[in-house]
Amino acid sequence: MSTSALALVGDIGGTNARFALVDLSAPGIELRDSKSLANADFASLQHAIEHYLAGVSAQPRRAALAVACPVGSDEIRLTNRAWSFSQRELQATLGLSELRMLNDFGAVAWAIPALQADDLVTLHGTFETPLQGPISVLGPGTGLGVALLVGSPQCGWQVVETEGGHVGFAPIGDEERAISAWLTAQHGRTSTERLLCGKGLSEIDAVLRSAGAETSLEMPPLRDPADVVQTALEGHDIPARQALARFCAVLGSVAGDCALIHGARSVVIAGGIMPRFIPFLRSSAFRERFLAKGRMAALLESVPIHVITHPHPGLLGAACALRATES
């Protein structure tokens, strides 16, 4: 690996911080020495980075970090983790000649043109290459990320970073209204992110398991979202299956809204939780709710939907964004 071209890439979510090294002089992007660290084990992002670099015995001069929050100012404050820092101070402390900050789903969007066919599963429609923008990118994790990829292979790509996960939730039907009422009582407002994230799945499950939860101000017991998914897929836990089915239906509604807002020619769904239940998602009400847009249903019929299965799209995208600054 060329020392001068060595770069650090990071994908910093609310729960985990993932890092890798890349050689920007290589013809393709290869993620090396990738590692995931639990955020709870570190007092700050700086400490997590220093721990990672010490473990790989590297001192890169350039870095691109994708973080789960807006990145429009020097002061960065993660939305779902009590970490904050100054970009300038972090760059100086780490001895970097270049530090590029991206929104986490902006990084996922940057990764899409670099994905191979086996890095995606087509949920509906067909996978056509080369991809053409606009492409809506969204997905649940610790929060709900939303980004827009515009351009083409011929003209180049640009990413529009957004905080679309924080728009207001629009419930459909009595069950969703009950869930929304309970979440609003807890948080004062219900955004789509409140449902479409790991904790949101747990809270949907809790509401559906708790008699009268829509009027109760006490927190029902929450199950781990991975446990909800696992028991739902096993098929014996009816509330878990109902919760995952509702989660998929709401995701379909939100994906359809994003496609209309962005004028998307494709929709790409990411998030570490999604590859775990693609068959369930395919057979759920996701597609029905994606198309349930009245007079615009026919327009959305032609929009293909893909799920990213690449293990580290945020790291790949951070590397792509860093390489794009060279061109």
Side-chain angles (χ1 to χ4, degrees), residues 58-109:
Q59 188 56 57
R61 297 287 294 158
R62 302 175 66 194
L65 302 176
V67 291
C69 63
V71 296
S73 64
D74 178 65
E75 186 72 15
I76 301 294
R77 295 180 180 274
L78 268 69
T79 303
N80 293 304
R81 166 63 52 177
W83 282 358
S84 62
F85 59 92
S86 160
Q87 295 188 52
R88 287 192 294 267
E89 290 178 5
L90 182 64
Q91 180 175 350
T93 301
L94 296 177
L96 299 170
S97 61
E98 179 184 357
L99 173 62
R100 177 159 183 179
M101 301 298 302
L102 304 92
N103 172 266
D104 59 339
F105 256 73
V108 173

Side-chain angles (χ1 to χ4, degrees), residues 147-219:
L148 173 63
L149 177 65
V150 295
S152 67
Q154 299 80 17
C155 301
W157 295 100
Q158 291 294 324
V159 171
V160 181
E161 299 179 349
T162 85
E163 290 299 323
H166 296 281
V167 301
F169 171 55
I172 298 175
D174 292 342
E175 189 170 271
E176 290 180 16
R177 281 190 283 270
I179 294 167
S180 180
W182 188 85
L183 288 169
T184 299
Q186 296 293 323
H187 305 291
R189 174 181 181 267
T190 300
S191 65
T192 57
E193 177 171 273
R194 289 292 184 191
L195 285 82
L196 295 179
C197 66
K199 186 180 179 184
L201 175 59
S202 296
E203 292 189 314
I204 293 171
D205 172 66
V207 172
L208 297 182
R209 285 188 293 113
S210 301
E214 67 271 15
T215 59
S216 172
L217 296 181
E218 296 183 4
M219 176 71 75

Side-chain angles (χ1 to χ4, degrees), residues 9-22:
V9 291
D11 181 12
I12 319 302
T15 304
N16 298 300
R18 300 171 182 86
F19 300 104
L21 298 174
V22 295

